[in-house]
Amino acid sequence: MPLWGIHNWVPLRDLFVDVNILEKTSSSRRSEVGDLWQDFTKGESNYRSLDRIGLGNQQQRVSGLSVLERNTNLIVVGKPGSGKTTYLQRIVTECNNGKLQVQRIPVLIKLREFVDDGRKYDYNLEQYLGQLWRLSNADTELALSQGRALVLLDGLDEVTGEAGKQITKQIKRFARIYPQVLVVVTCRTQSQESRFQRFDYVEVADFNEEQVRAFAEHWFGTVCVDAGENKAREFLEQLFREENKPIRELAITPILLSLTCAVFQQTGKFYSKRSKLYEEGLELLLVQWDKSREVERGEVYRDLSVERKLELLSFVAVNKFEQEQYVLFEQEELEGYIGEFLGIERQKSQEVLRAIASVHGLLIERSHKVWSFSHLTFQEYLVAKWFCWQQDWGKLFAQIHKKEWREVFLLVFCLDNADKIAQLMKQKIDAMVRDVNYIQDFLTWVNKKSIDIYLHYKPTAIRAYYFTKFTDFVDSKSSYNFIFALDKLLDKETNIVYRLARDSKLSEHFSDNSPSDMLLIFLIASELAEDFANDDNFDAPIPSLGNIRGHILYRIFSPEYQCELKKLKSQVSDKLLKNWDDFQNWWKLNGQPFLGKIQLRTNMEENNVTKIWDFCNNHKQLLQRYYYANNLLIDCLTNSSVINIVREEIEDNLLLPIAEIEKRKRKSIE
């Protein structure tokens, strides 16, 4: 078989991963959009995969090879590059090895070749098989009448026009005359218009995690040979990182997983800009896949350029993504968008929809007359492309507080002028709270505290600490993530991020004076921030909120309080500090009395560290949006090529009140 992205062919046995089959095709299911939307939104998928829409927990996957044991004719549908051809090739090898349908003679016919090869037989399958087998008509008839054949017909969607109609007619006739013969036909989803009697319809399922891992191991083992095992391990480790979720969502079909493997094999990493991988994936499905197979299709919108097709898909993607339910289209709604963009009537838009679904597989019928994009990642990429084409940044920034738009913003920063967009985005974020006096007072206080406490940390990090500490609606995990992301943006000398593992030697994660620093973190955590030290978050990557907090409090303590803290630290051995459970037991017996003795809370109150901000619900909601938008901005800056001067300006003005921002602007002009 050919391997996408690699110039040489490879043995099928070295690469094949058994496909899974869904015994009920998507288009035959009948479900309400609301029910399908619930399937998509409940829980958190490892893949962000749309394949589970409408399946719930009832749709069971079965092995593609075992489904043949039922001895029923099959129409196997699936997306482009989902592995249909490879599946049939594997059936042949298993039969020849005596492991499957041992009583039958397998024959694989690629229907796009059958258009020419079978023309002189008027597409009569009996005559064609007799010629292939070099048998007389009588012997061919005997073999077929006894059901000794397994006829595999690949790519019904690839034969069109009058020849396609004739071939379809002959397949139906053949299956009717020879019911003992087992016939399997593959076809792209949504390509086949007429129904086949005496055939069960099944669908090739997307890869699950186990299959993704197996395919990658086989791929790198085949291509990289001796280094394959290490390369596959590196690939999978990166693929399953949290930040690469969108890439994993693409890698659930063999063709796009092959592309992802090829990119990694050539570069040793994924592209620095994920958008490049998405662009190549779309080009692969829109142009290269059929071209590589020398397939010419009579698609209704073949006169449209690739650029125009992308614009159409982007128009469809953005119109749905701007809605609260941003994934699923009613068919009438989808046809309306197509008709509006192309300026065509309803019937023509139906033909265009069918062409998009059958030729490229970028739109999928998830249930009867309910559609979505094949991959959420492609929809997000197309939405980002639309805004870059339109340059309508105001409309984009109106979505800045919606979490489902996060990937769109990250992609826009990669596709357009990131410097300009970053500056406009910062202005939009500041404007969110510009006219709310109580929030401006809070930001002023946050800024004052960052100035009052002299530390080697940047003021931005201190502001981030105070902001997250005194907005009780910001959960600890979110605040950790925020400062973790901020650390990627700030100078690395701040050392904001530490990883604390329950059963490891904790002191190894700190500097030479780690026992003292770490005990101070634990002291402050125990008194003020139970969320920092609880079981739920302790094993997670912990930004040094505790460390910043420790330095802040240690700085404001009077000399006598600092002396008491040093005494307390001196009582704790390094061995005790290496085990969290031991430290907790010691703390219960010794820690609290000492903490009371140094009057920590009183000292904090005197220094205005425990000031209470009473936000109303409206203020909380607005601050949550403001906080999330700042998070998003930091992520965009971290993952894009914004120039240093713009990056530093945004960093310096992060979480500042409007008055202070304007003051700094005036000063810079002067």
Side-chain angles (χ1 to χ4, degrees):
M1 61 175 292
L3 193 58
W4 186 260
I6 303 298
H7 295 301
N8 56 297
W9 289 50
V10 300
L12 180 68
R13 65 179 179 274
D14 293 344
L15 194 67
F16 182 77
V17 173
D18 189 15
V19 299
N20 282 340
I21 294 294
L22 303 176
E23 297 182 278
K24 190 175 182 181
T25 61
S26 300
S27 59
S28 66
R29 297 191 292 267
R30 294 181 181 271
S31 303
E32 297 290 334
V33 170
D35 295 333
L36 299 179
W37 175 244
Q38 187 177 10
D39 284 342
F40 175 70
T41 54
K42 66 183 179 184
E44 179 65 22
S45 168
N46 288 332
Y47 287 88
R48 295 163 15 111
S49 172
L50 301 180
D51 185 54
R52 72 182 184 277
I53 291 182
L55 303 184
N57 297 319
Q58 291 91 40
Q59 185 74 333
Q60 187 172 357
R61 296 169 175 232
V62 297
S63 163
L65 297 177
S66 66
V67 77
L68 289 179
E69 297 173 0
R70 302 173 188 177
N71 294 309
T72 57
N73 293 339
L74 296 175
I75 299 289
V76 181
V77 301
K79 295 189 288 252
S82 59
K84 301 183 295 296
T85 299
T86 309
Y87 169 55
L88 296 189
Q89 290 176 308
R90 182 64 173 186
I91 290 173
V92 173
T93 60
E94 291 296 287
C95 288
N96 289 338
N97 291 332
K99 298 179 180 179
L100 183 70
Q101 294 289 333
V102 295
Q103 76 280 17
R104 303 185 194 273
I105 305 167
V107 56
L108 172 57
I109 301 172
K110 295 184 178 181
L111 292 177
R112 66 177 179 274
E113 299 172 358
F114 186 58
V115 171
D116 293 328
D117 298 344
R119 184 175 289 118
K120 61 181 177 181
Y121 305 105
D122 293 327
Y123 304 118
N124 182 290
L125 282 170
E126 301 98 296
Q127 294 182 30
Y128 184 71
L129 290 172
Q131 181 268 335
L132 285 178
W133 291 337
R134 302 291 192 269
L135 295 178
S136 66
N137 290 342
D139 287 339
T140 301
E141 176 66 25
L142 179 63
L144 295 177
S145 62
Q146 291 182 350
R148 298 296 300 278
L150 170 56
V151 180
L152 308 169
L153 305 172
D154 186 36
L156 184 60
D157 56 285
E158 297 175 4
V159 293
T160 58
E162 192 58 36
K165 293 178 182 178
Q166 287 295 321
I167 290 172
T168 298
K169 183 178 179 180
Q170 286 295 326
I171 295 173
K172 293 179 179 179
R173 183 194 62 81
F174 180 84
R176 186 174 64 252
I177 294 175
Y178 301 106
Q180 298 88 353
V181 173
L182 186 57
V183 181
V184 179
V185 182
T186 66
C187 182
R188 287 189 179 179
T189 309
Q190 265 77 51
S191 289
Q192 180 235 319
E193 297 181 3
S194 61
R195 298 292 296 181
F196 281 66
Q197 302 296 324
R198 302 184 179 87
F199 281 77
D200 289 343
Y201 283 69
V202 296
E203 185 172 353
V204 177
D206 288 341
F207 274 175
N208 56 26
E209 180 178 336
E210 180 182 356
Q211 290 169 313
V212 168
R213 291 183 178 278
F215 183 95
E217 290 168 357
H218 293 180
W219 196 98
F220 286 103
T222 300
V223 173
C224 301
V225 193
D226 294 339
E229 184 176 347
N230 291 335
K231 202 72 172 178
R233 187 184 307 111
E234 293 173 11
F235 172 81
L236 290 169
E237 192 276 327
Q238 289 199 34
L239 183 65
F240 283 90
R241 289 178 180 172
E242 179 68 18
E243 64 267 25
N244 287 326
K245 254 186 183 180
I247 295 178
R248 290 205 302 277
E249 198 259 334
L250 286 186
I252 56 178
T253 55
I255 182 60
L256 293 175
L257 180 53
S258 292
L259 171 64
T260 309
C261 290
V263 168
F264 191 86
Q265 189 265 339
Q266 293 165 14
T267 64
K269 59 182 181 180
F270 300 122
Y271 289 129
S272 56
K273 292 184 177 181
R274 291 203 299 261
S275 57
K276 186 176 180 182
L277 178 62
Y278 307 157
E279 180 182 357
E280 289 191 10
L282 281 170
E283 182 183 358
L284 174 57
L285 294 178
L286 284 169
V287 181
Q288 298 298 328
W289 185 231
D290 275 352
K291 185 177 180 180
S292 68
R293 295 151 63 89
E294 299 180 346
V295 177
E296 295 289 339
R297 299 182 187 272
E299 57 187 88
V300 68
Y301 73 140
R302 63 178 177 270
D303 293 334
L304 294 180
S305 64
V306 173
E307 291 75 17
R308 188 63 172 163
K309 290 175 183 177
L310 283 172
E311 287 179 8
L312 167 60
L313 290 167
S314 295
F315 179 78
V316 170
V318 76
N319 272 279
K320 173 51 68 174
F321 215 74
E322 288 175 339
Q323 301 175 28
E324 183 177 354
Q325 189 278 93
Y326 56 91
V327 169
L328 297 163
F329 302 84
E330 297 276 9
Q331 182 164 318
E332 185 175 349
E333 173 193 14
L334 185 51
E335 291 168 356
Y337 294 142
I338 293 172
E340 179 183 349
F341 182 83
L342 295 177
I344 57 178
E345 59 188 17
R346 174 77 180 276
Q347 184 176 355
K348 287 291 185 182
S349 66
Q350 290 177 345
E351 296 176 20
V352 172
L353 173 57
R354 186 161 294 279
I356 295 172
S358 62
V359 178
H360 313 312
L362 291 171
L363 289 170
I364 296 293
E365 193 173 9
R366 299 295 177 179
S367 186
H368 183 61
K369 293 191 174 182
V370 178
W371 296 71
S372 78
F373 278 88
S374 59
H375 300 79
L376 182 57
T377 292
F378 279 150
Q379 185 181 4
E380 292 165 335
Y381 173 80
L382 290 165
V383 171
K385 288 285 287 185
W386 178 262
F387 280 104
C388 293
W389 284 326
Q390 299 297 312
Q391 297 286 297
D392 191 352
W393 305 126
K395 193 172 183 180
L396 174 64
F397 294 150
Q399 315 295 338
I400 200 170
H401 61 284
K402 297 180 180 178
K403 294 183 178 181
E404 63 269 21
W405 282 76
R406 178 179 181 275
E407 186 68 18
V408 173
F409 277 90
L410 292 172
L411 288 169
V412 164
F413 269 70
C414 294
L415 293 169
D416 211 291
N417 186 337
D419 301 332
K420 173 185 174 183
I421 298 170
Q423 291 170 320
L424 292 174
M425 189 170 170
K426 179 64 166 67
Q427 293 172 15
K428 172 65 177 179
I429 293 171
D430 291 335
M432 292 172 66
V433 295
R434 172 187 292 273
D435 299 323
V436 185
N437 293 334
Y438 194 72
I439 292 178
Q440 289 297 310
D441 290 343
F442 171 64
L443 294 176
T444 300
W445 178 82
V446 166
N447 183 46
K448 184 177 183 302
K449 297 310 297 180
S450 70
I451 297 172
D452 290 345
I453 305 300
Y454 174 77
L455 296 170
H456 65 278
Y457 296 107
K458 286 196 173 184
T460 307
I462 307 303
R463 290 199 299 271
Y465 158 70
Y466 275 107
F467 185 96
T468 56
K469 172 60 188 173
F470 291 94
T471 47
D472 56 5
F473 50 81
V474 177
D475 62 88
S476 58
K477 182 179 180 181
S478 177
S479 63
Y480 297 157
N481 290 340
F482 181 41
I483 298 189
F484 177 82
L486 192 62
D487 181 48
K488 293 181 180 179
L489 188 67
L490 302 178
D491 293 339
K492 295 305 177 185
E493 65 186 19
T494 58
N495 292 321
I496 286 180
V497 182
Y498 299 119
R499 184 180 294 271
L500 303 178
R502 175 184 293 277
D503 295 319
S504 65
K505 295 181 179 180
L506 298 178
S507 61
E508 292 178 0
H509 298 276
F510 295 85
S511 57
D512 293 336
N513 61 343
S514 59
S516 298
D517 287 343
M518 185 162 47
L519 179 55
L520 187 53
I521 291 174
F522 288 154
L523 286 173
I524 306 305
S526 300
E527 174 65 12
L528 299 174
E530 295 179 0
D531 59 326
F532 175 74
N534 67 21
D535 290 341
D536 292 336
N537 293 313
F538 192 76
D539 290 332
I542 305 293
S544 64
L545 286 179
N547 206 4
I548 295 176
R549 180 184 297 117
H551 281 84
I552 290 173
L553 297 176
Y554 195 83
R555 179 70 182 174
I556 66 174
F557 289 152
S558 61
E560 58 267 30
Y561 290 158
Q562 293 183 24
C563 181
E564 293 294 338
L565 280 174
K566 289 177 181 178
K567 289 181 182 178
L568 178 57
K569 282 186 277 187
S570 67
Q571 294 190 13
V572 184
S573 66
D574 289 353
K575 181 179 180 181
L576 193 60
L577 289 173
K578 294 177 183 179
N579 186 286
W580 174 244
D581 292 327
D582 290 346
F583 179 84
Q584 278 188 312
N585 293 332
W586 178 90
W587 178 255
K588 290 177 182 177
L589 296 174
N590 304 282
Q592 293 297 337
F594 235 109
L595 198 57
K597 183 177 180 181
I598 63 174
Q599 300 175 341
L600 176 61
R601 184 175 299 279
T602 302
N603 190 262
M604 289 178 60
E605 290 171 351
E606 291 174 355
N607 286 275
N608 201 23
V609 177
T610 58
K611 179 177 174 63
I612 297 175
W613 288 88
D614 186 17
F615 299 107
C616 67
N617 288 334
N618 288 339
H619 288 164
K620 285 184 177 181
Q621 291 176 8
L622 184 56
L623 273 174
Q624 282 175 318
R625 291 185 175 189
Y626 174 77
Y627 171 73
Y628 174 77
N630 276 288
N631 254 305
L632 178 59
L633 176 58
I634 295 303
D635 285 343
C636 291
L637 292 174
T638 304
N639 294 285
S640 66
S641 55
V642 175
I643 61 175
N644 287 337
I645 189 171
V646 173
R647 190 186 302 268
E648 290 170 2
E649 179 186 359
I650 290 175
E651 172 204 321
D652 290 341
N653 289 284
L654 198 72
L655 302 176
L656 283 177
I658 296 297
E660 179 64 23
I661 293 174
E662 293 177 346
K663 175 183 174 182
R664 294 185 179 194
K665 284 182 180 179
R666 290 193 299 270
K667 186 175 181 180
S668 64
I669 294 174
E670 295 171 358

